[in-house]
Amino acid sequence: MSQMTATARVHAHPRPSRSRGAAAPARPPLRVVRAAPAAVGSFWYAMVLGALIVSGLLLMLMLNMARAEGSFVLSDLRDEHASLHAEQVTLETELADLSSPSTLAGKATDLGMVASPSTAILRLSDDSLVGVAAMVQGGKTHTVDLPKASSADEDQSAGE
């Protein structure tokens, strides 16, 4: 601040002058003041606050334990999934080996089966037999002939 402003302020607000003859206003006599009364609810407030903090910490501990348990369960399930997948792959490989044409032909030969010289196919769409099935037995062939299927109306009239 400049000196000019400081001077202006001093002159702008003059202090009231005290004359030596004027008596100072009377002050009340000093007295002893007791200590401030203790807050009534501070103990219970501290207890509730402490209980909230402890319960919050216990809740966090329980959540952390549940998460850790879930992690162990997840790890066990992943291990089980890996072992089941390995078993599935093994079984699929075994099934492919057992159902291969060479394995089936060998098993059929072990059971005494022989290959048929001709085949017959049953066509389900119109219940017709296509081809002639022949059985090999001592050089003789046996022809399989299926009777024609009758309709429901014919069966009902034949039953009467």
PDB file of all heavy atoms in Angstrom, residues 76-103:
ATOM      1  N   ASP A  76     -11.474 -76.454  -9.118  1.00  0.00           N
ATOM      2  CA  ASP A  76     -11.821 -77.877  -9.112  1.00  0.00           C
ATOM      3  C   ASP A  76     -12.687 -78.239 -10.314  1.00  0.00           C
ATOM      4  O   ASP A  76     -12.499 -79.291 -10.935  1.00  0.00           O
ATOM      5  CB  ASP A  76     -12.563 -78.243  -7.818  1.00  0.00           C
ATOM      6  CG  ASP A  76     -11.657 -78.179  -6.593  1.00  0.00           C
ATOM      7  OD1 ASP A  76     -10.419 -78.166  -6.776  1.00  0.00           O
ATOM      8  OD2 ASP A  76     -12.198 -78.127  -5.464  1.00  0.00           O
ATOM      9  N   LEU A  77     -13.649 -77.380 -10.650  1.00  0.00           N
ATOM     10  CA  LEU A  77     -14.519 -77.645 -11.796  1.00  0.00           C
ATOM     11  C   LEU A  77     -13.734 -77.622 -13.107  1.00  0.00           C
ATOM     12  O   LEU A  77     -14.017 -78.415 -14.011  1.00  0.00           O
ATOM     13  CB  LEU A  77     -15.664 -76.636 -11.839  1.00  0.00           C
ATOM     14  CG  LEU A  77     -16.737 -76.812 -10.762  1.00  0.00           C
ATOM     15  CD1 LEU A  77     -17.755 -75.677 -10.840  1.00  0.00           C
ATOM     16  CD2 LEU A  77     -17.421 -78.148 -10.882  1.00  0.00           C
ATOM     17  N   ARG A  78     -12.758 -76.735 -13.211  1.00  0.00           N
ATOM     18  CA  ARG A  78     -11.934 -76.701 -14.418  1.00  0.00           C
ATOM     19  C   ARG A  78     -11.115 -77.980 -14.547  1.00  0.00           C
ATOM     20  O   ARG A  78     -10.974 -78.524 -15.645  1.00  0.00           O
ATOM     21  CB  ARG A  78     -11.020 -75.485 -14.397  1.00  0.00           C
ATOM     22  CG  ARG A  78     -11.746 -74.202 -14.742  1.00  0.00           C
ATOM     23  CD  ARG A  78     -10.796 -73.027 -14.809  1.00  0.00           C
ATOM     24  NE  ARG A  78     -11.541 -71.817 -15.173  1.00  0.00           N
ATOM     25  CZ  ARG A  78     -11.121 -70.606 -14.929  1.00  0.00           C
ATOM     26  NH1 ARG A  78      -9.960 -70.416 -14.323  1.00  0.00           N
ATOM     27  NH2 ARG A  78     -11.843 -69.565 -15.281  1.00  0.00           N
ATOM     28  N   ASP A  79     -10.566 -78.461 -13.421  1.00  0.00           N
ATOM     29  CA  ASP A  79      -9.808 -79.712 -13.447  1.00  0.00           C
ATOM     30  C   ASP A  79     -10.706 -80.875 -13.854  1.00  0.00           C
ATOM     31  O   ASP A  79     -10.316 -81.723 -14.663  1.00  0.00           O
ATOM     32  CB  ASP A  79      -9.178 -79.992 -12.083  1.00  0.00           C
ATOM     33  CG  ASP A  79      -8.077 -79.006 -11.732  1.00  0.00           C
ATOM     34  OD1 ASP A  79      -7.583 -78.314 -12.653  1.00  0.00           O
ATOM     35  OD2 ASP A  79      -7.724 -78.926 -10.537  1.00  0.00           O
ATOM     36  N   GLU A  80     -11.915 -80.913 -13.283  1.00  0.00           N
ATOM     37  CA  GLU A  80     -12.861 -81.977 -13.616  1.00  0.00           C
ATOM     38  C   GLU A  80     -13.265 -81.901 -15.092  1.00  0.00           C
ATOM     39  O   GLU A  80     -13.370 -82.921 -15.771  1.00  0.00           O
ATOM     40  CB  GLU A  80     -14.095 -81.874 -12.722  1.00  0.00           C
ATOM     41  CG  GLU A  80     -15.084 -82.986 -12.924  1.00  0.00           C
ATOM     42  CD  GLU A  80     -16.294 -82.874 -12.005  1.00  0.00           C
ATOM     43  OE1 GLU A  80     -16.323 -81.974 -11.147  1.00  0.00           O
ATOM     44  OE2 GLU A  80     -17.204 -83.694 -12.155  1.00  0.00           O
ATOM     45  N   HIS A  81     -13.462 -80.690 -15.597  1.00  0.00           N
ATOM     46  CA  HIS A  81     -13.817 -80.513 -17.007  1.00  0.00           C
ATOM     47  C   HIS A  81     -12.698 -81.029 -17.903  1.00  0.00           C
ATOM     48  O   HIS A  81     -12.955 -81.689 -18.913  1.00  0.00           O
ATOM     49  CB  HIS A  81     -14.098 -79.039 -17.300  1.00  0.00           C
ATOM     50  CG  HIS A  81     -14.419 -78.760 -18.730  1.00  0.00           C
ATOM     51  ND1 HIS A  81     -13.466 -78.359 -19.626  1.00  0.00           N
ATOM     52  CD2 HIS A  81     -15.585 -78.848 -19.428  1.00  0.00           C
ATOM     53  CE1 HIS A  81     -14.016 -78.206 -20.808  1.00  0.00           C
ATOM     54  NE2 HIS A  81     -15.309 -78.491 -20.716  1.00  0.00           N
ATOM     55  N   ALA A  82     -11.454 -80.733 -17.532  1.00  0.00           N
ATOM     56  CA  ALA A  82     -10.320 -81.191 -18.340  1.00  0.00           C
ATOM     57  C   ALA A  82     -10.231 -82.715 -18.357  1.00  0.00           C
ATOM     58  O   ALA A  82     -10.012 -83.326 -19.412  1.00  0.00           O
ATOM     59  CB  ALA A  82      -9.021 -80.587 -17.811  1.00  0.00           C
ATOM     60  N   SER A  83     -10.440 -83.348 -17.195  1.00  0.00           N
ATOM     61  CA  SER A  83     -10.372 -84.810 -17.154  1.00  0.00           C
ATOM     62  C   SER A  83     -11.544 -85.441 -17.911  1.00  0.00           C
ATOM     63  O   SER A  83     -11.362 -86.446 -18.613  1.00  0.00           O
ATOM     64  CB  SER A  83     -10.344 -85.304 -15.702  1.00  0.00           C
ATOM     65  OG  SER A  83     -11.560 -85.019 -15.056  1.00  0.00           O
ATOM     66  N   LEU A  84     -12.734 -84.852 -17.803  1.00  0.00           N
ATOM     67  CA  LEU A  84     -13.878 -85.388 -18.543  1.00  0.00           C
ATOM     68  C   LEU A  84     -13.696 -85.199 -20.053  1.00  0.00           C
ATOM     69  O   LEU A  84     -14.097 -86.066 -20.839  1.00  0.00           O
ATOM     70  CB  LEU A  84     -15.169 -84.714 -18.081  1.00  0.00           C
ATOM     71  CG  LEU A  84     -15.667 -85.133 -16.695  1.00  0.00           C
ATOM     72  CD1 LEU A  84     -16.877 -84.298 -16.298  1.00  0.00           C
ATOM     73  CD2 LEU A  84     -15.994 -86.599 -16.655  1.00  0.00           C
ATOM     74  N   HIS A  85     -13.098 -84.098 -20.451  1.00  0.00           N
ATOM     75  CA  HIS A  85     -12.847 -83.882 -21.875  1.00  0.00           C
ATOM     76  C   HIS A  85     -11.846 -84.914 -22.397  1.00  0.00           C
ATOM     77  O   HIS A  85     -12.029 -85.449 -23.497  1.00  0.00           O
ATOM     78  CB  HIS A  85     -12.329 -82.467 -22.113  1.00  0.00           C
ATOM     79  CG  HIS A  85     -12.058 -82.160 -23.549  1.00  0.00           C
ATOM     80  ND1 HIS A  85     -13.064 -82.043 -24.479  1.00  0.00           N
ATOM     81  CD2 HIS A  85     -10.896 -81.979 -24.221  1.00  0.00           C
ATOM     82  CE1 HIS A  85     -12.536 -81.800 -25.659  1.00  0.00           C
ATOM     83  NE2 HIS A  85     -11.216 -81.760 -25.530  1.00  0.00           N
ATOM     84  N   ALA A  86     -10.820 -85.187 -21.608  1.00  0.00           N
ATOM     85  CA  ALA A  86      -9.835 -86.198 -22.022  1.00  0.00           C
ATOM     86  C   ALA A  86     -10.493 -87.578 -22.127  1.00  0.00           C
ATOM     87  O   ALA A  86     -10.230 -88.333 -23.074  1.00  0.00           O
ATOM     88  CB  ALA A  86      -8.679 -86.238 -21.030  1.00  0.00           C
ATOM     89  N   GLU A  87     -11.384 -87.883 -21.171  1.00  0.00           N
ATOM     90  CA  GLU A  87     -12.098 -89.167 -21.219  1.00  0.00           C
ATOM     91  C   GLU A  87     -13.023 -89.223 -22.439  1.00  0.00           C
ATOM     92  O   GLU A  87     -13.135 -90.264 -23.101  1.00  0.00           O
ATOM     93  CB  GLU A  87     -12.906 -89.357 -19.937  1.00  0.00           C
ATOM     94  CG  GLU A  87     -13.600 -90.690 -19.849  1.00  0.00           C
ATOM     95  CD  GLU A  87     -14.364 -90.855 -18.541  1.00  0.00           C
ATOM     96  OE1 GLU A  87     -14.219 -90.012 -17.642  1.00  0.00           O
ATOM     97  OE2 GLU A  87     -15.118 -91.844 -18.441  1.00  0.00           O
ATOM     98  N   GLN A  88     -13.673 -88.114 -22.768  1.00  0.00           N
ATOM     99  CA  GLN A  88     -14.554 -88.073 -23.936  1.00  0.00           C
ATOM    100  C   GLN A  88     -13.768 -88.313 -25.223  1.00  0.00           C
ATOM    101  O   GLN A  88     -14.201 -89.069 -26.086  1.00  0.00           O
ATOM    102  CB  GLN A  88     -15.269 -86.727 -24.014  1.00  0.00           C
ATOM    103  CG  GLN A  88     -16.169 -86.596 -25.232  1.00  0.00           C
ATOM    104  CD  GLN A  88     -16.778 -85.209 -25.367  1.00  0.00           C
ATOM    105  OE1 GLN A  88     -16.460 -84.306 -24.603  1.00  0.00           O
ATOM    106  NE2 GLN A  88     -17.630 -85.045 -26.350  1.00  0.00           N
ATOM    107  N   VAL A  89     -12.612 -87.687 -25.329  1.00  0.00           N
ATOM    108  CA  VAL A  89     -11.785 -87.877 -26.520  1.00  0.00           C
ATOM    109  C   VAL A  89     -11.338 -89.335 -26.625  1.00  0.00           C
ATOM    110  O   VAL A  89     -11.362 -89.931 -27.715  1.00  0.00           O
ATOM    111  CB  VAL A  89     -10.572 -86.917 -26.484  1.00  0.00           C
ATOM    112  CG1 VAL A  89      -9.547 -87.274 -27.540  1.00  0.00           C
ATOM    113  CG2 VAL A  89     -11.042 -85.480 -26.651  1.00  0.00           C
ATOM    114  N   THR A  90     -10.975 -89.936 -25.497  1.00  0.00           N
ATOM    115  CA  THR A  90     -10.562 -91.346 -25.485  1.00  0.00           C
ATOM    116  C   THR A  90     -11.708 -92.242 -25.917  1.00  0.00           C
ATOM    117  O   THR A  90     -11.526 -93.164 -26.737  1.00  0.00           O
ATOM    118  CB  THR A  90     -10.083 -91.739 -24.075  1.00  0.00           C
ATOM    119  OG1 THR A  90      -9.034 -90.869 -23.684  1.00  0.00           O
ATOM    120  CG2 THR A  90      -9.608 -93.178 -24.040  1.00  0.00           C
ATOM    121  N   LEU A  91     -12.896 -91.994 -25.395  1.00  0.00           N
ATOM    122  CA  LEU A  91     -14.056 -92.819 -25.746  1.00  0.00           C
ATOM    123  C   LEU A  91     -14.444 -92.641 -27.217  1.00  0.00           C
ATOM    124  O   LEU A  91     -14.841 -93.612 -27.878  1.00  0.00           O
ATOM    125  CB  LEU A  91     -15.236 -92.495 -24.832  1.00  0.00           C
ATOM    126  CG  LEU A  91     -15.091 -92.961 -23.385  1.00  0.00           C
ATOM    127  CD1 LEU A  91     -16.261 -92.442 -22.548  1.00  0.00           C
ATOM    128  CD2 LEU A  91     -15.007 -94.467 -23.302  1.00  0.00           C
ATOM    129  N   GLU A  92     -14.362 -91.417 -27.729  1.00  0.00           N
ATOM    130  CA  GLU A  92     -14.690 -91.199 -29.141  1.00  0.00           C
ATOM    131  C   GLU A  92     -13.702 -91.924 -30.047  1.00  0.00           C
ATOM    132  O   GLU A  92     -14.092 -92.497 -31.066  1.00  0.00           O
ATOM    133  CB  GLU A  92     -14.698 -89.698 -29.451  1.00  0.00           C
ATOM    134  CG  GLU A  92     -15.918 -88.976 -28.918  1.00  0.00           C
ATOM    135  CD  GLU A  92     -15.856 -87.469 -29.121  1.00  0.00           C
ATOM    136  OE1 GLU A  92     -14.786 -86.958 -29.548  1.00  0.00           O
ATOM    137  OE2 GLU A  92     -16.871 -86.812 -28.863  1.00  0.00           O
ATOM    138  N   THR A  93     -12.435 -91.925 -29.661  1.00  0.00           N
ATOM    139  CA  THR A  93     -11.424 -92.640 -30.439  1.00  0.00           C
ATOM    140  C   THR A  93     -11.672 -94.137 -30.406  1.00  0.00           C
ATOM    141  O   THR A  93     -11.604 -94.827 -31.436  1.00  0.00           O
ATOM    142  CB  THR A  93     -10.013 -92.328 -29.895  1.00  0.00           C
ATOM    143  OG1 THR A  93      -9.817 -90.922 -29.886  1.00  0.00           O
ATOM    144  CG2 THR A  93      -8.936 -92.993 -30.726  1.00  0.00           C
ATOM    145  N   GLU A  94     -12.012 -94.641 -29.226  1.00  0.00           N
ATOM    146  CA  GLU A  94     -12.309 -96.073 -29.081  1.00  0.00           C
ATOM    147  C   GLU A  94     -13.540 -96.457 -29.889  1.00  0.00           C
ATOM    148  O   GLU A  94     -13.574 -97.509 -30.552  1.00  0.00           O
ATOM    149  CB  GLU A  94     -12.513 -96.406 -27.603  1.00  0.00           C
ATOM    150  CG  GLU A  94     -12.680 -97.868 -27.303  1.00  0.00           C
ATOM    151  CD  GLU A  94     -12.845 -98.126 -25.813  1.00  0.00           C
ATOM    152  OE1 GLU A  94     -12.371 -97.304 -25.006  1.00  0.00           O
ATOM    153  OE2 GLU A  94     -13.453 -99.158 -25.469  1.00  0.00           O
ATOM    154  N   LEU A  95     -14.564 -95.620 -29.868  1.00  0.00           N
ATOM    155  CA  LEU A  95     -15.780 -95.886 -30.641  1.00  0.00           C
ATOM    156  C   LEU A  95     -15.493 -95.880 -32.139  1.00  0.00           C
ATOM    157  O   LEU A  95     -15.992 -96.735 -32.880  1.00  0.00           O
ATOM    158  CB  LEU A  95     -16.856 -94.850 -30.315  1.00  0.00           C
ATOM    159  CG  LEU A  95     -18.169 -94.957 -31.084  1.00  0.00           C
ATOM    160  CD1 LEU A  95     -18.881 -96.259 -30.730  1.00  0.00           C
ATOM    161  CD2 LEU A  95     -19.056 -93.768 -30.798  1.00  0.00           C
ATOM    162  N   ALA A  96     -14.681 -94.938 -32.585  1.00  0.00           N
ATOM    163  CA  ALA A  96     -14.324 -94.883 -34.008  1.00  0.00           C
ATOM    164  C   ALA A  96     -13.567 -96.143 -34.419  1.00  0.00           C
ATOM    165  O   ALA A  96     -13.792 -96.686 -35.505  1.00  0.00           O
ATOM    166  CB  ALA A  96     -13.493 -93.642 -34.288  1.00  0.00           C
ATOM    167  N   ASP A  97     -12.681 -96.641 -33.541  1.00  0.00           N
ATOM    168  CA  ASP A  97     -11.947 -97.870 -33.844  1.00  0.00           C
ATOM    169  C   ASP A  97     -12.884 -99.077 -33.896  1.00  0.00           C
ATOM    170  O   ASP A  97     -12.757 -99.939 -34.766  1.00  0.00           O
ATOM    171  CB  ASP A  97     -10.849 -98.120 -32.811  1.00  0.00           C
ATOM    172  CG  ASP A  97      -9.704 -97.135 -32.929  1.00  0.00           C
ATOM    173  OD1 ASP A  97      -9.597 -96.483 -33.993  1.00  0.00           O
ATOM    174  OD2 ASP A  97      -8.919 -97.005 -31.958  1.00  0.00           O
ATOM    175  N   LEU A  98     -13.821 -99.151 -32.954  1.00  0.00           N
ATOM    176  CA  LEU A  98     -14.730-100.302 -32.910  1.00  0.00           C
ATOM    177  C   LEU A  98     -15.752-100.292 -34.040  1.00  0.00           C
ATOM    178  O   LEU A  98     -16.250-101.338 -34.441  1.00  0.00           O
ATOM    179  CB  LEU A  98     -15.457-100.359 -31.560  1.00  0.00           C
ATOM    180  CG  LEU A  98     -14.593-100.728 -30.359  1.00  0.00           C
ATOM    181  CD1 LEU A  98     -15.407-100.613 -29.075  1.00  0.00           C
ATOM    182  CD2 LEU A  98     -14.021-102.128 -30.509  1.00  0.00           C
ATOM    183  N   SER A  99     -16.104 -99.104 -34.543  1.00  0.00           N
ATOM    184  CA  SER A  99     -17.121 -99.043 -35.589  1.00  0.00           C
ATOM    185  C   SER A  99     -16.523 -98.943 -36.985  1.00  0.00           C
ATOM    186  O   SER A  99     -17.257 -98.717 -37.951  1.00  0.00           O
ATOM    187  CB  SER A  99     -18.053 -97.861 -35.337  1.00  0.00           C
ATOM    188  OG  SER A  99     -17.333 -96.656 -35.390  1.00  0.00           O
ATOM    189  N   SER A 100     -15.225 -99.116 -37.110  1.00  0.00           N
ATOM    190  CA  SER A 100     -14.615 -99.084 -38.438  1.00  0.00           C
ATOM    191  C   SER A 100     -15.028-100.326 -39.220  1.00  0.00           C
ATOM    192  O   SER A 100     -15.286-101.394 -38.647  1.00  0.00           O
ATOM    193  CB  SER A 100     -13.088 -99.001 -38.323  1.00  0.00           C
ATOM    194  OG  SER A 100     -12.582-100.206 -37.806  1.00  0.00           O
ATOM    195  N   PRO A 101     -15.127-100.242 -40.531  1.00  0.00           N
ATOM    196  CA  PRO A 101     -15.557-101.383 -41.345  1.00  0.00           C
ATOM    197  C   PRO A 101     -14.657-102.611 -41.185  1.00  0.00           C
ATOM    198  O   PRO A 101     -15.148-103.739 -41.156  1.00  0.00           O
ATOM    199  CB  PRO A 101     -15.510-100.850 -42.776  1.00  0.00           C
ATOM    200  CG  PRO A 101     -15.643 -99.371 -42.636  1.00  0.00           C
ATOM    201  CD  PRO A 101     -14.992 -99.030 -41.341  1.00  0.00           C
ATOM    202  N   SER A 102     -13.367-102.432 -41.050  1.00  0.00           N
ATOM    203  CA  SER A 102     -12.475-103.590 -40.921  1.00  0.00           C
ATOM    204  C   SER A 102     -12.707-104.316 -39.598  1.00  0.00           C
ATOM    205  O   SER A 102     -12.709-105.548 -39.548  1.00  0.00           O
ATOM    206  CB  SER A 102     -11.019-103.159 -41.042  1.00  0.00           C
ATOM    207  OG  SER A 102     -10.695-102.237 -40.013  1.00  0.00           O
ATOM    208  N   THR A 103     -12.943-103.565 -38.512  1.00  0.00           N
ATOM    209  CA  THR A 103     -13.211-104.192 -37.222  1.00  0.00           C
ATOM    210  C   THR A 103     -14.549-104.920 -37.251  1.00  0.00           C
ATOM    211  O   THR A 103     -14.668-106.044 -36.745  1.00  0.00           O
ATOM    212  CB  THR A 103     -13.214-103.128 -36.104  1.00  0.00           C
ATOM    213  OG1 THR A 103     -11.986-102.421 -36.134  1.00  0.00           O
ATOM    214  CG2 THR A 103     -13.397-103.758 -34.739  1.00  0.00           C
TER     215      THR A 103
END
